[in-house]
Amino acid sequence: MKTPTMMAVPALLLSACVVPTTGDPSAQEPLTFLCDRSDTVVVSFSGERALLKTDQAEVEMTSQPVASGFAYSGGGQSIRGKGPELTWTRADGTTRSCREQEWAMRQSQIQ
């Protein structure tokens, strides 16, 4: 007999695979992320794939297993995050902290 806890585990595992964004990832609408050092990246999520567009390149990435949030890598670059925030690791190994543009613009400004 399955207990409610045993039945909840598969649902929790599946929910960890969903890319939590402000848009619907299946719609493939690009999301713009504002990063530190004035960098901007645009990411289009589509199931197990993501397309990362930067000033320098356009990189197709594949989903990577994570316990929580999302992770994609490809072309020597990677993105990891949860909700509206992500960390972008560039091909040269430097990282940028980024926030989804629409979400960031709704936040209170520090005076």
Side-chain angles (χ1 to χ4, degrees):
M1 180 173 174
K2 291 185 178 181
T3 66
T5 304
M6 289 172 56
M7 293 177 357
V9 170
L12 288 173
L13 291 174
L14 286 174
S15 68
C17 297
V18 175
V19 178
T21 63
T22 55
D24 177 7
S26 64
Q28 300 182 32
E29 290 184 28
L31 296 172
T32 301
F33 290 85
L34 306 175
C35 306
D36 54 7
R37 299 189 183 171
S38 301
D39 285 325
T40 301
V41 297
V42 177
V43 183
S44 299
F45 295 100
S46 179
E48 296 295 311
R49 301 223 177 266
L51 181 64
L52 172 74
K53 294 181 185 179
T54 69
D55 289 341
Q56 296 83 26
E58 196 170 289
V59 180
E60 189 169 319
M61 302 177 143
T62 56
S63 179
Q64 303 299 308
V66 291
S68 179
F70 60 91
Y72 291 83
S73 67
Q77 302 189 53
S78 66
I79 55 173
R80 296 182 65 92
K82 190 170 186 178
E85 298 183 347
L86 69 79
T87 300
W88 167 39
T89 303
R90 299 169 15 150
D92 65 6
T94 58
T95 61
R96 300 287 186 263
S97 295
C98 309
R99 293 185 173 178
E100 197 274 325
Q101 179 176 351
E102 288 183 28
W103 180 86
M105 294 301 175
R106 290 192 306 263
Q107 303 310 302
S108 314
Q109 299 300 313
I110 299 173
Q111 300 291 327

